[in-house]
Amino acid sequence: MWGIIATWRMAAEGISEASEILANHGDAGDAIETAIKAVEDFEYYKSVGYGGLPNEEMEVELDAAFMDGDTFDMGAVAAIKDFANPISIARRLSQEKVNSMLVAEGAEKFAHKEGFERKNMLTERAKIHFKNRMKEVREQEIKPYSGHDTVGMVCLDEFGKMTSATSTSGLFMKKKGRVGDSPIVGSGFYVDSQVGGASATGLGEDLMKGCISYEIVRLMKEGMHPQAACEKAVCDLDRELKQRRGKAGDLSLIAMNHKGEWGVATNIEGFSFAVATALQEPTVYLTKMIDGKCVHEVASQEWLDQYMKTRMAPLEEK
Ligand code: ASP
């Protein structure tokens, strides 16, 4: 058995590439890195890699992580600037025994020494988004923290190895140096090849309060199906946050176990995800929670076309 599952529709092309690798007896580390790179490289996805939206100083600071579920090797970069593929740097760092999570200049120095590709990650399109948002913020006093989405994945190869990885530009208009859940082990991602893995997207500050990816893996270890584990973890954290703090931020989780069974849960409307396994062609789903249960629906061709059209539509300065 092999399989790969990822947050958001934007992962679909990457998932397809990864499924080719996995179907041809490839490695879960290579497959997941290839899939995440595809998302990082596509400039019209404005929350990951090239084309990602900047922080409040108009700089694109990226977070990414990689974990190997056989060895628990884990590497991460946070608030890194001017490198094309943060996921590859995170994977490279996962081979280090110490110093495997690096931030900002430290991460950039390491990436430079290791010969990773430098690139200005701020696109003209992202600059227009930034300027428009500045104008809106001035005029309407809306909250700047919207327009984010992390690509997070869990992958299983034919040999039983599992990996998990994330990549994101974090929250649009975040403070310089702000780090979300995505590069934080146990919150943005976790994987144990003997059990399964999980990955998160949503409001990092709230996802971290539940160490939610680890919690899902823990529930799967107790015998829960990935779907039940995701629903329980998301509902519990959503409820706790509302009880203690009056509100809960966006929480969306994907998971897969070592048998290739998968699950997804969210507390928002319109969460999409992509999945492919030895038994299932790459498929994009839309999901919503109804009375604590998530209902997944295959995305229609019309929805998929519309999605790309909106992402790539010409953008003008307001
Ligand atoms: N979780 C990410 C962060 O807080 C953003 C997202 O997934 O939308 O940085």
Side-chain angles (χ1 to χ4, degrees):
M1 186 62 179
W2 55 262
I4 182 161
I5 184 163
T7 57
W8 304 111
R9 148 70 186 91
M10 65 180 160
E13 290 77 15
I15 289 285
S16 297
E17 280 184 49
S19 62
E20 296 280 314
I21 297 175
L22 294 164
N24 286 298
H25 325 293
D27 166 76
D30 296 337
I32 208 165
E33 182 183 353
T34 302
I36 298 242
K37 276 172 84 169
V39 188
E40 288 179 340
D41 290 342
F42 191 64
E43 69 174 275
Y44 291 98
Y45 294 147
K46 56 186 171 37
S47 55
V48 176
Y50 187 57
L53 294 179
N55 64 14
E56 63 173 24
E57 298 184 15
M58 214 169 82
E59 299 167 328
V60 183
E61 287 188 332
L62 302 170
D63 300 337
F66 174 91
M67 184 169 181
D68 178 318
D70 278 357
T71 56
F72 292 153
D73 283 339
M74 200 276 305
V77 288
I80 189 172
K81 275 192 302 195
D82 300 329
F83 279 89
N85 294 111
I87 186 58
S88 302
I89 305 166
R91 186 180 182 197
R92 168 66 191 83
L93 278 168
S94 73
Q95 294 157 10
E96 301 290 307
K97 295 266 173 301
V98 288
N99 303 306
S100 56
M101 179 172 185
L102 296 176
V103 306
E105 290 93 336
E108 288 150 20
K109 212 166 178 176
F110 174 84
H112 176 68
K113 273 198 195 141
E114 292 288 320
F116 284 97
E117 185 193 342
R118 272 193 186 274
K119 185 166 173 177
N120 178 355
M121 301 298 271
L122 184 68
T123 59
E124 286 309 312
R125 199 176 168 88
K127 276 189 209 165
I128 299 177
H129 277 294
F130 178 86
K131 286 179 189 155
N132 289 347
R133 182 53 64 93
M134 286 297 267
K135 198 153 175 247
E136 277 171 21
V137 173
R138 272 196 307 272
E139 284 168 8
Q140 304 161 20
E141 280 192 85
I142 53 161
K143 277 231 200 87
Y145 292 132
S146 65
H148 53 87
D149 290 343
T150 296
V151 65
M153 303 191 183
V154 177
C155 181
L156 162 72
D157 70 24
E158 234 178 47
F159 312 99
K161 174 170 161 180
M162 295 194 77
T163 51
S164 180
T166 58
S167 184
T168 189
S169 52
L171 300 184
F172 183 24
M173 294 289 195
K174 63 189 177 184
K175 291 265 180 245
K176 183 178 175 64
R178 179 261 184 196
V179 177
D181 60 304
S182 309
I184 306 295
V185 64
S187 287
F189 65 98
Y190 195 79
V191 66
D192 175 344
S193 301
Q194 292 173 11
V195 181
S199 184
T201 177
L203 183 65
E205 285 74 359
D206 276 0
L207 290 159
M208 285 192 272
K209 292 181 172 79
C211 296
I212 193 159
S213 291
Y214 181 78
E215 174 62 7
I216 290 172
V217 175
R218 194 188 66 77
L219 291 169
M220 291 195 291
K221 197 171 182 175
E222 281 182 359
M224 269 195 192
H225 186 279
Q227 185 56 40
C230 285
E231 282 167 0
K232 179 165 168 44
V234 169
C235 288
D236 286 357
L237 183 57
D238 182 69
R239 192 184 52 248
E240 294 268 353
L241 290 168
K242 284 177 180 153
Q243 276 169 4
R244 294 168 195 233
R245 307 170 60 80
K247 60 178 184 210
D250 294 1
L251 315 169
S252 301
L253 272 295
I254 52 115
M256 182 171 277
N257 67 15
H258 67 290
K259 294 187 255 179
E261 296 165 336
W262 52 266
V264 173
T266 183
N267 68 351
I268 63 164
E269 287 284 318
F271 177 58
S272 59
F273 64 95
V275 61
T277 70
L279 310 173
Q280 183 178 14
E281 294 277 291
T283 311
V284 174
Y285 289 88
L286 288 163
T287 192
K288 60 175 172 232
M289 191 82 109
I290 303 170
D291 297 330
K293 295 265 166 262
C294 261
V295 185
H296 314 312
E297 222 176 81
V298 175
S300 65
Q301 195 53 50
E302 196 189 341
W303 185 88
L304 293 171
D305 294 345
Q306 190 54 36
Y307 176 94
M308 253 328 172
K309 236 170 113 185
T310 358
R311 290 301 170 291
M312 298 182 69
L315 186 68
E316 276 169 23
E317 220 173 294
K318 285 181 195 154

